[in-house]
Amino acid sequence: MKLKAAIFYDPFCPKLRPDAYSVTYLDQLLALHDCFEVTRYNVASCSAKDIEADVIIIYDIHSSHHIQIEGLKNHPAVKYSYLNDPHQQEVKGQYRNGPPVHKLGAAQRTSRELELGTDFIICPYQDGYFQHLAPHLGPEAEKMLFWFPPAPSITRFPDRARPLKERRHRILGNGILHGGNGAYDFRKWAYSQRPETFYVKHAMERPDVPQGMEYGKLLCSFAASLALCDWYVVPKYQEIPLAGCVCFAQHQMDYAEMGFKHGENCIFVTKENYKRRAMEFLSSEGTINDTYFQKIATAGRELIESKWTAERFAEALYRHAQNQIQSCQAQGVSTHE
């Protein structure tokens, strides 16, 4: 029998809407349904006494869904909370064409998790977790982390095995440039380089550019693309190789831990070497080096397919919860003790 799971989420969260510019977080949520026996999706306050579940997942990625779950701390289920953007600061405002929103800062987020009795925090960014959230969690911080990078669904990339020679032989630069608090500094520079980068404005600035559920089709039409962020392995780090592109990536420790190595399944770039490495790729069209770059693209795709998709995220979380429950049963203790 499958483990029973109750999932709480915010229906107004822009990243969980079908029309979101990125559906990665929505696809992760949907993938959970295929692994667990979901006993309820809940968007409103309730009593924990009414929750029948082995596992409770609070999928409130920005800590902005302020419902009350009375008695949750004492519920015997293994409890997880998904916290994205660990650097997030408190902000109050209003969603575009939606209700008011209040996102909590790091100290507020962690305080809420401790009050809820959260056993594990799902966070896609290890550095951010330990820098911003862990200091507020005390000695159990390392034990509480369930790390899994942002994981796109394999279903969004039906043309991912398309050979590079059948794609546009350019290095696509497509992503948000405004905001970011410095996280996009290298990205801004790289997107401005010509002829190395084929820059296409983000869908938020150019509505005719494919986004959301159609984004995979855009990536699969290019032979290469840029995954650049000064802080984290944002979804592009996974989407680009899954699309079968040669992934030109800014180095991140999480990416290395995922199994990415320069010249094997990605190309790591810096300001100092980007032009040279980009031109090596661009000049390879129709030459023997085509095979070299095809091997990189194929290896990157296969790595994501095997370990880092939304489907793999759900499977990993299920195994983790199953192990916790079995361990507690073997010790004869409640899962919340």
Side-chain angles (χ1 to χ4, degrees):
M1 293 178 59
K2 288 185 177 181
L3 294 180
K4 294 180 179 180
I7 300 176
F8 291 78
Y9 74 102
D10 181 0
F12 294 104
C13 177
K15 289 183 178 177
L16 300 183
R17 293 174 57 88
D19 59 353
Y21 72 80
S22 171
V23 291
T24 296
Y25 296 101
L26 173 61
D27 282 338
Q28 289 182 164
L29 177 60
L30 295 175
L32 294 173
H33 194 281
D34 294 329
C35 278
F36 293 90
E37 178 187 341
V38 179
T39 57
R40 65 187 294 172
Y41 279 113
N42 205 314
V43 300
S45 296
C46 68
S47 170
K49 293 186 297 183
D50 299 324
I51 300 175
E52 180 189 1
D54 306 301
V55 180
I56 295 173
I57 303 168
I58 301 176
Y59 202 78
D60 182 16
I61 61 178
H62 289 303
S63 303
S64 58
H65 193 210
H66 305 295
I67 61 174
Q68 301 297 316
I69 310 174
E70 183 182 356
L72 179 61
K73 191 168 188 175
N74 296 319
H75 195 288
V78 183
K79 294 176 280 291
Y80 295 85
S81 282
Y82 195 113
L83 301 185
N84 185 37
D85 290 349
H87 63 282
Q88 176 179 292
Q89 297 182 353
E90 182 181 17
V91 62
K92 296 181 179 180
Q94 186 161 352
Y95 285 130
R96 185 180 301 176
N97 301 320
V101 59
H102 177 199
K103 296 181 179 181
L104 303 180
Q108 297 166 308
R109 301 175 90 178
T110 49
S111 175
R112 186 177 78 163
E113 299 308 327
L114 293 174
E115 290 176 7
L116 291 174
T118 299
D119 296 300
F120 299 99
I121 292 175
I122 307 167
C123 186
Y125 311 123
Q126 292 187 92
D127 283 350
Y129 175 86
F130 286 110
Q131 180 179 353
H132 300 285
L133 300 178
H136 305 288
L137 292 170
E140 296 297 303
E142 185 170 358
K143 180 182 177 181
M144 290 178 70
L145 174 63
F146 177 87
W147 169 69
F148 205 98
S153 174
I154 200 169
T155 62
R156 307 295 183 196
F157 302 84
D159 297 327
R160 60 189 181 276
R162 183 180 178 184
L164 297 186
K165 63 183 179 181
E166 296 179 7
R167 301 171 180 233
R168 193 167 187 174
H169 196 79
R170 296 288 184 271
I171 302 174
L172 174 67
N174 171 249
I176 292 174
L177 292 178
H178 62 270
N181 298 317
Y184 304 143
D185 288 351
F186 181 35
R187 181 187 295 187
K188 290 177 182 177
W189 176 87
Y191 281 12
S192 70
Q193 303 307 301
R194 303 291 185 275
E196 292 82 11
T197 306
F198 186 87
Y199 174 54
V200 176
K201 286 186 177 181
H202 190 271
M204 293 181 70
E205 300 176 306
R206 184 179 161 184
D208 63 315
V209 174
Q211 61 175 315
M213 296 182 181
E214 301 298 314
Y215 182 60
K217 295 180 182 179
L218 174 66
L219 287 179
C220 289
S221 69
F222 279 85
S225 188
L226 288 163
L228 307 176
C229 180
D230 290 4
W231 295 355
Y232 305 140
V233 286
V234 293
K236 288 186 184 302
Y237 279 79
Q238 288 65 254
E239 293 167 331
I240 290 169
L242 181 56
C245 301
V246 176
C247 184
F248 284 79
Q250 186 172 357
H251 186 273
Q252 297 288 351
M253 290 305 298
D254 279 355
Y255 216 42
E257 188 165 331
M258 288 168 61
F260 279 91
K261 299 179 181 179
H262 172 72
E264 292 187 16
N265 44 31
C266 72
I267 302 291
F268 283 131
V269 290
T270 64
K271 279 189 177 181
E272 291 70 33
N273 64 30
Y274 175 60
K275 286 180 175 291
R276 173 173 58 82
R277 290 183 171 172
M279 292 309 299
E280 287 174 353
F281 167 76
L282 293 173
S283 63
S284 71
E285 186 175 18
T287 72
I288 194 171
N289 287 331
D290 266 350
T291 302
Y292 168 73
F293 287 106
Q294 181 63 70
K295 287 181 178 179
I296 290 175
T298 299
R301 172 174 58 80
E302 291 177 345
L303 177 57
I304 296 294
E305 287 175 342
S306 64
K307 293 185 177 181
W308 306 111
T309 63
E311 295 77 14
R312 300 305 187 201
F313 160 72
E315 293 167 2
L317 185 60
Y318 187 96
R319 289 194 301 271
H320 186 274
Q322 191 173 50
N323 288 339
Q324 295 304 313
I325 292 171
Q326 291 174 347
S327 176
C328 288
Q329 289 174 341
Q331 297 174 42
V333 299
S334 171
T335 54
H336 70 273
E337 291 180 342

